[in-house]
Structures are given as structure tokens and as C-alpha cells.
Amino acid sequence: MAQKITFSPAMIDALCEGSLADPLTPGLAIEVLKSGKKRWRYRRQVARRKVVATIFGGLFPAQSMAEAREWARELNLQVEAGIDPRAVQRAEKARNEMTVAKAHGLYMVAVHEGRSSRAKRINKPRTIKDKMDVYNHDIAPTLGNRNIYEVTERDLINLVEAKGKTAKVRANRLAAELKVFFGWTASLRGLEVGLEADPSKRLGDLRFPERARTRKLSHLELEWFLQALVEEERDFQRGLLLCLLSAARITEVARARSDEIVNGVWTIPATRAKNSFEHSIALGPWGRSLMQTNHEWVFQAIKIDGPRNNSVWYKARDRVLARMEKLAGHPIERFTPHDFRRTARSNTKRLKVDFETAEAMLNHVKKGMERTYDLYEMEDEKRLWFLKWEEEVAAIAVRVGVAAALGVPSAQAPVGYSFSVRVANPSTARQPSGCGTVKMQEVGKLPQANAKITFTRVIG
């Protein structure tokens, strides 16, 4: 009768070379390495598959025989179920290495490619920058090195509440971005991460109250603004004036390119517009002169090849505001370049501009079915409004004696512009009810120093 081989710690100690299989645990063996150390090894074919899985365990005796057998039993359960334990180990390793930082890197790739939301729309550079700012400033310092599968709802609540103690509006933006990011990781779009449950699902309930901005500049404040602007460097004069005259966003103005201006019409491309819709602004004589440049960028940076960054415009605003307060003799509520949009929009009704034209001049998109079927772009109506608004601001500059210093064309004239109206049939003529009812005809090429605009209305 063949001698029965025993498998015991003493026998393993006596093993000097080769390997020895455990007769009680399928697939488990101990093998002697060249160094003389002894290592556990598991090797077995996966059920119903032509695959042999080989996995190495720890060293003996650090990993005892009992521990090795328990390890091998778990592997046998997978193998007998037709699961390759190596694939399980790879997935487990990837899971252990999936930090919030790594998951966010995958998310940002999806953001760049337009796969981060159900809309599947390519994100604009500004949106991408905003997302990275929120992550770098508010998420990474606390959660960046955490395993994303271990992040709980309470972790996210604590993060948002802590931010809310110092910056409530910023806390709301943080909560919104957390919802988008974790929602992506838990969706089919984020299978690379494959989060089983979304811990941010209820963050929408955690919202701090926000007060909508209602700041606009009065005519008196516009007088102080234009007077205070005289002492600014010419580029900052031009930029802040263009924000006021064009009702465009500061980022749209600051990053304007010279090739976007053709025949006096400044076209903001869809890639730079907030709503991703191209927007054309027919500049008046003053606006045209403010846009003139010999560089690729309308507002070329001094030290780098590119536009001036956003922060310099707010510093210019601070300087102008300080001068305005000196002129006024009392504090003035802080305003932002964006408040010029609200100022322009708030004057439309007084200047008898219809609602649709007023919305079009701000590049606000139409809603519902109107957005689908009414594709009229209202360029003529917008052209007349921008000219009318420019004339309004120019008149203020003339009134306070800064028109020449700010480069208003025909600054010597009482209001800076010359107008004429021709009526074909005086007996049936009516006064126009709004600028949208008047057609404009440009006379010749508008010189910078002495611009003349002629309005022609033919009735009858």
C-alpha cells in the first residue's frame, strides 16, 4: 500500500525544494523559491472555461496553513462558479485605487467630450474652468485622496455646510457641482467609475437662500461713472464702455478677437456665448472706435500672447468706483461689469423698445415652441436699439463734459450724433412708436471723428 502523504507545518518546514500540494484543498500548494523562502500558490482551471488561474499568496509561516486554506476556499468558490479570480482581484485593486481625484479626472475627460450630462453637449471653456475651480478650491482639499466608494452623504453635507458658513452662494454652486459629478459616477455614463449609489442625490434639498442681484446704474451714477472713467488707462476705458454699450458679458468683451468684427458688426461665436448661441451686435460709431485694434485680441495682454485676464477688469472697476464715490461725496453700492447688462435692459422700456428686441439684444433665447419655429434673428431691430442706446450714453458723456476724453465721435455736437427723418407722404405720416419701426440706412463709410447716421422712414 502506498504511503499516505501528510500535509502539516512540520512537513512544510522540512521541504527544501519543489512544491507540495495540499490534499485537502483543491488548487492549493506550497512552493520553495530560489531564495529558500516558501510561498503559497493557487492554480486551478476555471469551470466551463479553458482558463487556468494561477494566483500567488503570502509567505509561509507569515501566512499560516489555516489562513492559506481559507484563502484557497474562497478562490475555489469563484472558480467553481465559472469566475476567474484574477479578474476579481483586478477589479478589487482598481476599486481600491479609485480615489475622488482619479474619478474626477475621468469625469473631466467626459466633460471635455460632452459625455458628462444627458444633453451630450460640448462644454464651453468657461464651464470647464468653473468646474475645475470648484473642484480645486472646494472638493480636492477635503475629498481628493478619499476612496470614492467610501464617500458618504454626510461627507458631502459637511462639505457644503462648511462652505455655507462663509460663502452661501458659493456653497450652492458647490452642491450643484457635487450633484453633477457624483451623479455622473453613478450613471451609465460613468461606468468607468461605477458607483453603486449616488451619495449626492439629496443635496438639492440643502440650498442656502440667494437674493437675486438687482443692481443697475441710474443716470446720475452713469454720469459719475463716465467722469470717473476718464482717468483710467485707455484699454480699461474701452472695455468697460463696451460692456455698457453692447450689454455683453465681461468675459465676452475681454476675450473678443479682432476677426470677430466685420463691417462694424461684432459677432460673438457660439463657443464663447453663455447659452451657446451666436450673437451679433451692430456697433454704433462709438462702439466701432472702441473695438479698433492692431492686435489679434481686442484687449491684448501686455506680458503674454493672449487677452487680458478677468481679474484686471474688476480691479479697474474698483478704481472707477472709488473715483465715483469721491465725485458723489458718499458711498456708492458696488456694481459689477455684469450690472451694465441689467442697466441697458432696464432702459429699454423707457426708450420704447419692445420686449422681443430687448431680449434679443441680450442674446436671451426664446422659449418653448417659439424657440423651435420662430427663427427670425431680429438683426435690424437690434441694430437700431444698440444705436439708440449708444446715443443715450453719448449724450450723458457730452452733458458732463467727458465726451472728447472718452472718444465719443462728433464730441463737439450737442449730443454727439446727427439724425434726419424723411417722410414720403407727410399727410399720412405718424410718429414711430419704437426704434423697431424705423429702418436705418448708413450713409457712406462712418469716419471715426465725425460720424453721421441717417434714419430713413418711408410711409404711404
Side-chain angles (χ1 to χ4, degrees), residues 54 66 100 135 150 154 164 168 171 195 292 323 350 395 401 448:
T54 300
V100 170
Y135 175 75
E150 297 174 357
R154 174 46 59 183
K168 290 180 170 54
L195 204 63
Q292 286 184 354
R323 295 189 202 107
R350 183 180 61 81
Q448 215 176 322

Side-chain angles (χ1 to χ4, degrees), residues 85-238:
R86 295 171 301 179
V88 175
Q89 285 187 348
R90 285 192 294 270
E92 194 171 313
K93 181 182 178 182
R95 184 182 180 89
N96 292 336
E97 294 175 349
M98 186 59 73
T99 61
V100 170
K102 185 173 182 178
H104 192 267
L106 296 171
Y107 164 70
M108 289 309 298
V109 172
V111 167
H112 279 275
E113 295 175 354
R115 297 184 289 106
S116 61
S117 67
R118 291 187 179 91
K120 292 184 173 61
R121 187 169 60 194
I122 300 296
N123 291 281
K124 294 188 290 296
R126 176 184 171 182
T127 301
I128 294 172
K129 180 182 181 301
D130 288 346
K131 287 178 177 292
M132 285 305 304
D133 285 346
V134 171
Y135 175 75
N136 290 329
H137 296 155
D138 303 322
I139 301 175
T142 304
L143 299 179
N145 295 326
R146 288 277 302 276
N147 186 292
I148 194 168
Y149 305 103
E150 297 174 357
V151 175
T152 65
E153 181 184 70
R154 174 46 59 183
D155 292 327
L156 303 185
I157 291 173
N158 290 342
L159 193 65
V160 174
E161 287 184 335
K163 191 67 180 179
K165 291 178 181 178
T166 57
K168 290 180 170 54
V169 173
R170 187 73 179 179
N172 289 339
R173 304 298 175 268
L174 170 60
E177 182 58 20
L178 286 171
K179 274 187 65 64
V180 176
F181 167 47
F182 279 94
W184 177 82
T185 63
S187 70
L188 293 179
R189 300 185 304 279
L191 281 177
E192 301 152 284
V193 180
L195 204 63
E196 289 87 355
D198 178 8
S200 70
K201 195 171 184 179
R202 299 195 300 173
L203 276 189
D205 298 336
L206 187 64
R207 182 175 178 82
F208 295 92
E210 291 184 31
R211 186 175 65 181
R213 283 191 62 82
T214 58
R215 180 74 169 102
K216 65 180 180 66
L217 277 70
S218 67
H219 268 54
L220 181 57
E221 287 178 321
L222 286 177
E223 290 183 4
W224 293 329
F225 167 73
L226 294 174
Q227 289 175 286
L229 204 56
V230 170
E231 296 182 36
E232 272 302 310
E233 180 186 326
R234 182 57 179 164
D235 264 11
F236 296 126
Q237 277 188 12
R238 293 166 54 222

Side-chain angles (χ1 to χ4, degrees), residues 244-248 268 279-281 340-348 353-364 377-378 381-383 385-386 389:
L244 177 61
L245 298 178
S246 68
I268 302 171
H279 181 40
S280 295
I281 299 173
F340 290 132
R341 281 172 62 82
R342 191 175 296 105
T343 300
R345 179 64 174 85
S346 299
N347 278 276
T348 54
V353 179
D354 63 273
F355 176 82
E356 288 185 338
T357 301
E359 288 294 279
M361 77 173 226
L362 294 182
N363 198 24
H364 286 169
E377 296 176 343
M378 306 187 72
E381 291 82 355
K382 284 163 45 181
R383 179 187 298 271
W385 150 251
F386 282 117
W389 176 235

Side-chain angles (χ1 to χ4, degrees), residues 45-103:
Q45 182 173 338
V46 180
R48 299 180 297 279
R49 297 175 61 185
K50 295 180 180 180
V51 175
V52 177
T54 300
I55 302 173
F56 298 103
L59 297 176
F60 177 84
Q63 185 178 16
S64 67
M65 188 170 69
E67 291 170 338
R69 282 174 168 170
E70 182 60 31
W71 168 66
R73 286 191 191 99
E74 292 178 1
L75 295 176
N76 279 327
L77 291 175
Q78 297 173 16
V79 165
E80 290 163 6
I83 300 171
D84 188 341
R86 295 171 301 179
V88 175
Q89 285 187 348
R90 285 192 294 270
E92 194 171 313
K93 181 182 178 182
R95 184 182 180 89
N96 292 336
E97 294 175 349
M98 186 59 73
T99 61
V100 170
K102 185 173 182 178

